[in-house]
Every structure is written in C-alpha cells, then in structure tokens.
Amino acid sequence: MSHRRLNLTLLAVAVLAGCTSNPTAQQAPAEEAALAAATAADAAASAETERRERSTLDSVVVTGARLSRQAKAAVPGYAYAPPPPPAPASVAYRESFSAGVVAYPQTQPANTEKYAERDDNPVRRTLDEPVSTFSVDVDTGSYSNVRRMLRDGQRPPADAVRAEEFVNYFRYGHAAPNDRSRPFRVTTELAPAPWNAQRQVLMVGIKGYDVPKATLPPANLVFLLDTSGSMESPDKLPLLKQSFTQLVTQLRAQDRVSIVVYAGSAGLVLPPTPGDRHGEILAALDRLQAGGSTNGGDGIRLAYAMAKQAFVPEGVNRVILATDGDFNVGTVSQDALETMVADQRKSGIALTTLGFGTGNYNDALAEKLADVGDGTHAYIDTLQEGRKVLVEEMQSTLLTIARDVKIQVEFNPAVVAEYRLIGYENRVLANEDFANDKVDAGDIGAGHEVTALYEITPVGSGADRLPALRYGGKTVAAGVATDEVAHLRLRYKLPGQDASRLIEAPIARSMLISQPSEAFRFATAVAAYADLLRGGKRIDGWAWTDVARTARGATGRDPYGLKAEFIGLIDQAHRLVATQTDAPAIAGE
C-alpha cells in the first residue's frame, strides 16, 4: 500500500511541477489534476485500510504494550499485536501555485445523532383504564445530553427529551428506609398541579438504603472503551480518559479492573488487574488513541469474556461501556446487540453505558443496551459530570439492592376522572406483567432515588381533557369508597432471588395538601421544563417564566450547584427558542 501511495504522490508532484512552467495557460487544469491525484492516493490508502479491517473481523485481536506471561494467559488462543494505526483522516488539500494558495476546505460532517421516537403518555379515562403499570428508571443521560445541546446553542430534538430522566437527575431527599429489612422506602405527596389548580399531581418517591463505600463488596469491572476514529475529538476519548481517571483513584485492592477497547477489531489493553495498582491502570488508559472504524459487537463479546474470567461470585460484576454509539462494523444491528446483552445479563454481569460526544451520538442504542443489560445510562458532557457519574454516584451504580422493580397504581374512578403518567414512555408495562416475575424491569442501587409524577383530574373539577362519551360508558358502581384517591403497589426482587415481593400503600384523599414541599415544587418545575422542550402541550398556560420562578423558590439544599445550574438552563432554553422561531419545529415553546 505504501509503494502505491508513494507513486501516486510522485505523479501529483510531477503534475504540479509542469504547472509552474506556464501558470497562465495551465493553472486551472493543473489544479484539477493535482486534486485528482491526491484524492486517488487517499482513496487507495483508505481502500487498503478497509480491506485490512475486513480481514480482521473474523478474529479478535488483543492489543497492549504489556506482554507479560500473565497478560498472555488472560485470553487463551488470542494473538497479541500492537494497536492498529489510525485510519487516514480527511484533510483539506492545499497546493501552492505561482498565482497563490488554493484551498480545498473540508466539508462539515452531517449531524447523524439517533434518538428513539417517542410520544407523550396519553391522558387516560379512569373508568376505562384505572390501572397504570411501569418499570422504574434511574437513567439520567437525557438531561445532561440536552444540557450539552443548549450550551452549544442548539435546540434539542424533542425525542432527545425524556421527562423521567430530567426529573431523576436531581435528588429530592425522599425518606430512606428505617433498616435493611426492606431495601427501600416508598413515599407519596399529593398537591395541586402548579400549572392548573383544578388538577393535582401525585409524586411517588422511592429511596434505597445507602452503604459506605468502604463496605462495598469486591467489584469486577471491565472498562469497554470506544477508540474508533469518531472518538478523537476533545469531548470524546480525551474526556473519557479524564473521567475514568477519577474513578481509578477510588478503586481498592479487592477490586479487579480490565480494559477492553474496540475500533476495527476488539483488543485487550489490560487483563484483570488489582484495583489498587492505580499507576498501571492509569498508564493503560493514557496509551489509548482513537483510530479506525467501530466494531462494537466484537468489543462487547470480549468484554463479557473478561468479566466472566474475573467473575466475583459474591461481588459486583459489571461492564462499563463508554462510546458515542456509532457502531458501523461487524454486529451493527441494534436488535442483535440487544439480544447479545440480554443473554449475557443472565450470567450475573450487568452493563452500564456512558455516552460521549456530539454529531454522531447514538442515544437510542446506548439507552436501550443499558435497559436490557440491567444497568444504567448516563451522558458525560463535562469533567464535572464525569465525577458525578463515576465517583459520587458509583456506589449506587455498582451495588444493586433491588431488581426488577415495578410500580402499579390503581386509581379510584369515584375520585379521579383522568390521569397521565409524566414520562416513562419506554418503561410502560402491560398490567398483567406486574405480577409476572419473568418480565424484566429496572433495578435500584444503594442510595438511589426514583421519582415519578402523575397528573390527575379529580371528578367534578371541570378540568377534564377527554370529551364526554356520546353513548355513555361505564359508570361507577354504587357504594364505592371515596376516601382513597388511588392504591399503590410495588414489586421487587432481592438480588439473587427469582420470586418478587410486594409492597402496598393506599393514597388517601386526606393526603392532599395546599402547600407542597420544596421537593414537589422543584420536581414539577423540572417536568414542566421537559414538556416545554418537547413542545409545551401538557402544561396548559404555564410558560418559561413560570417554570423559572417556581424552580428559584424551591432549590433548597444544593451542595453541588446542580439546581442553580438548572435555573440558568431554563433562561438559556427560553432565549434559544425565542430567537429560533423560524427553525424547524423540533422542540417548540
């Protein structure tokens, strides 16, 4: 390949040399010939690189500078080789002519970010559908990803906004369990909806018991890191390395860390290594460079192989996938990747996904893989967010205290005319799946908080959204009690157990309060902010200024400044929407 490219380059030089003898008559043809020759040289190199990458897809190449006996024995049968060189990068051609410098600018790459389509949960008529069932969700990636877009002056696509992840980004101080006989405690609060006093909002809060970091069981972690060419920008691989560096310094001697990378092929950079060898782990991270296409499927397979090799029976076993999600070689079908991850979770190895970067971020894939892998999904847009996710919240991510957590709320049709679940659109379950222990659902980690909001319309309030039925319909049976608004049920499994346990709690009308807590007010402000970003169709006449005013009056304790930052984002989003009224209506006011 190098001889062919050298010959083509020499040919381009010869053409340029001929141009200088008669610049007036031959300058334009010479420019075209030079560009054609240089383009041909780059195409030949790219074609050869692509051929070499295709030839490696049927095997997994293990890379790394450390070729000790321990490393060679880590994955029997795999060959060790130096990391493949980065693929040729696109360049702007500049050729010198006697008349001056002619530049061929690089075209701006198209935005190919992917988000799963979603529609807001509809308003339900309680007489027709009194029961609502969904899986808990502790992901936060949607909020930080949208924050990144707003800071870049971009209107976020409506599908990028997931209300439950906005709400769950913040802590609300839900009451913790009194002891560990139950892994978490459920609380509720009922108050008038801030955007319409004729309606009400029911807030359901779940708080898991916390554990000191020193008492966490041994952790077997596999860092599965995307080192493909698309990861070379500062907000991708460099930020990834800085973020993981913060986690490494927290690891202990009883922990084990492996590092797997993937580009055109998968590679092992660090076999299972004691967590207190910080220098060795950090050196392996520091050596990583971006280059090549993205064979995520092979990377996932190798990562699970390493996790199984270092499996800790009574500990934490988890793969942490960090990527922009741009899988373009090997197993690229999202369905096939989901099946692979779902099969592996049965072995007791969870998958957490961390998103990085802009332009080609595949949010739909990253979120779904975490869902089916019994893990969480976050997006890291700053080094501060990296610390929040990988240091401050890591014990919640690592130690699962309850599995397959499902919530079911049955509303009383004698009291509630209509209801709407805010967010959780991709977590809604069939009602019959609530008691079916074969159906997967979300997990809760140590110290995790989960918050869910229902907007409800009381009977006789006059605030109904659904029209009256022409031919009547079901009617409330005589004698139905009216002292309850709803009945809450929650199912969960303890780790290692297959049978679920049930928690039940009535929600009485007497619980309605006129002065809601700071937590309630801030959570509803966040939900309204998400709705405005999606088009503002569900919060009546509430505007950006109402959301900002409510949030400012409900920040409460804010040790990391996240709530104050949120208030600034409200104003930023408002200004951005106001100045882009002629832009495509992807997230209206």
Side-chain angles (χ1 to χ4, degrees), residues 393-462:
E393 298 176 352
M394 184 47 64
Q395 63 197 77
S396 300
T397 299
L398 293 181
L399 183 59
T400 299
I401 61 174
R403 297 174 44 246
D404 294 342
V405 182
K406 306 170 186 175
I407 295 176
Q408 187 172 81
V409 180
E410 181 180 355
F411 291 97
N412 183 355
V415 176
V416 178
E418 300 169 348
Y419 66 88
R420 177 177 67 90
L421 174 61
I422 299 176
Y424 293 93
E425 285 85 2
N426 62 351
R427 295 286 190 159
V428 171
L429 298 174
N431 293 333
E432 60 268 24
D433 290 340
F434 177 72
N436 185 350
D437 288 344
K438 300 292 185 182
V439 175
D440 183 60
D443 298 345
I444 291 179
H448 260 153
E449 280 192 6
V450 179
T451 304
L453 302 173
Y454 280 95
E455 181 189 34
I456 62 179
T457 303
V459 170
S461 65

Side-chain angles (χ1 to χ4, degrees), residues 114 325 327 334 337-338 353 362-370:
K114 299 181 179 68
F327 296 179
Q334 179 165 327
L337 290 168
E338 289 177 23
T353 61
N362 192 337
D363 173 86
L365 178 61
E367 190 216 2
K368 190 61 177 178
L369 290 183

